[in-house]
Amino acid sequence: MKTYDITPNDWLKGGLVTLLLFVIFQLGALVGQTSARLYAEHEAVDKIKARISLDLQFLDVGNQTLRTPPNQDTLKAYLNRINTILSEQQTGVWLVSLQSVTANATGQPENARLTQLVLENSEQTVNVQLATKPLYRYLSFSPLALLAALLVSPAFVKVRTSQRRAVKAAALAQPVPIVKITPKLTVNLNEKTLGNGVNDVTVQLQNKPLCFYTALLHYCIENPNAVLLHHKDIPPELTNLASKVFTRLMELGHTKRKRPDFNANLDKTLSEIRAALDEVFAGFSEEKTRYYPPRAQGEGSRSKQHSYALPVLHASDIDIIGE
């Protein structure tokens, strides 16, 4: 069985489309009614002019040259007879006056539109006044306009619904983009932890390795080409940065001890940092490389010449909380 997926919005749109189409069709019907009425009036006026022109030779309309007045009784009877014929034929036209003689006002339309005519013969001119019903009296509701709107509107709604379904189908057919989440080192001084910003894995560090590693991050960002050798003391700038971090830990209430010697047991400090990073970035070995202090390779003097400076980092590569 065929079903239709019609939503409340479709019903609303269908109603609005039907209303709009009805207004358009009704306006067309009103234009047609107006045009037909004006044409009928034009035909009726032409016939009245022709009839009066033929009857003038038998009517006593007076003579301006001889200064004789029109025959009131004869002309009134003539006007009433013509108006009776016009009323029976439902022309909507009324003969108001002929020369200065006015017809009986009974049956004359209200709010009529008056038209002045001048008929001429060889002897004189005759003034005729006609009245026609106002156009709005001929305008009416068109059932055909409503019927046409009801028949046509479903086609528009169906087209719109089909278009929407096509758009939905195309959207469903498109592959859902896979967003790759890149781990990012997060140093939380408030909790003295390292994290990766992706999951809930965090590792807590002691004060000395935490201060040294935080300072090392800043130092390597500011000095991307730095060379830090194991057999030499750490640069004063790096020491100052580590001391500032330690002071911040004191402000946060994590320690009351004396500032540690960051040059002492440097290998142990770096080992603790690497162990924490191994745990934090488990499963993200490629991303871990940028944050990982390189291990010394070889033995003896060769290992001492190895730099533990971090690869090129940018400030946007890390998040430090509580600094």
Side-chain angles (χ1 to χ4, degrees), residues 89-102:
Q89 295 178 354
Q90 298 182 349
T91 60
V93 181
W94 185 265
L95 189 55
V96 178
S97 65
L98 184 61
Q99 288 296 67
S100 59
V101 180
T102 304

Side-chain angles (χ1 to χ4, degrees), residues 93-132:
V93 181
W94 185 265
L95 189 55
V96 178
S97 65
L98 184 61
Q99 288 296 67
S100 59
V101 180
T102 304
N104 189 349
T106 304
Q108 184 174 339
E110 298 180 358
N111 302 322
R113 293 175 290 123
L114 299 178
T115 303
Q116 299 289 340
L117 300 177
V118 178
L119 304 179
E120 297 182 357
N121 56 21
S122 58
E123 297 181 357
Q124 62 178 347
T125 59
V126 178
N127 295 317
V128 180
Q129 188 178 54
L130 300 176
T132 55

Side-chain angles (χ1 to χ4, degrees), residues 140-204:
S140 62
F141 165 76
S142 175
L144 290 178
L146 178 59
L147 179 61
L150 293 174
L151 292 176
V152 175
S153 59
F156 284 89
V157 176
K158 183 178 180 181
V159 170
R160 297 293 297 177
T161 303
S162 300
Q163 291 176 349
R164 187 179 66 250
R165 288 176 181 170
V167 172
K168 286 184 177 180
L172 293 175
Q174 293 179 355
V176 179
I178 300 175
V179 180
K180 183 180 179 181
I181 302 177
T182 303
K184 184 178 182 180
L185 177 65
T186 302
V187 180
N188 191 333
L189 298 182
N190 295 326
E191 299 179 0
K192 297 172 51 178
T193 60
L194 300 182
N196 57 35
V198 174
N199 51 39
D200 297 330
V201 177
T202 58
V203 175
Q204 193 170 47

Side-chain angles (χ1 to χ4, degrees), residues 32-84:
Q33 292 170 0
T34 302
S35 300
R37 177 56 197 166
L38 292 176
Y39 178 79
E41 285 183 0
H42 181 72
E43 290 286 316
V45 170
D46 286 346
K47 290 180 180 180
I48 293 172
K49 288 170 61 178
R51 178 61 183 270
I52 295 176
S53 297
L54 293 174
D55 293 341
L56 276 179
Q57 56 183 326
F58 305 109
L59 296 175
D60 185 3
V61 294
N63 192 300
Q64 296 176 353
T65 304
L66 300 177
R67 296 184 179 181
T68 57
N71 190 318
Q72 296 280 338
D73 295 335
T74 302
L75 292 181
K76 279 194 174 185
Y78 178 77
L79 291 172
N80 292 335
R81 180 163 57 86
I82 295 296
N83 284 332
T84 300

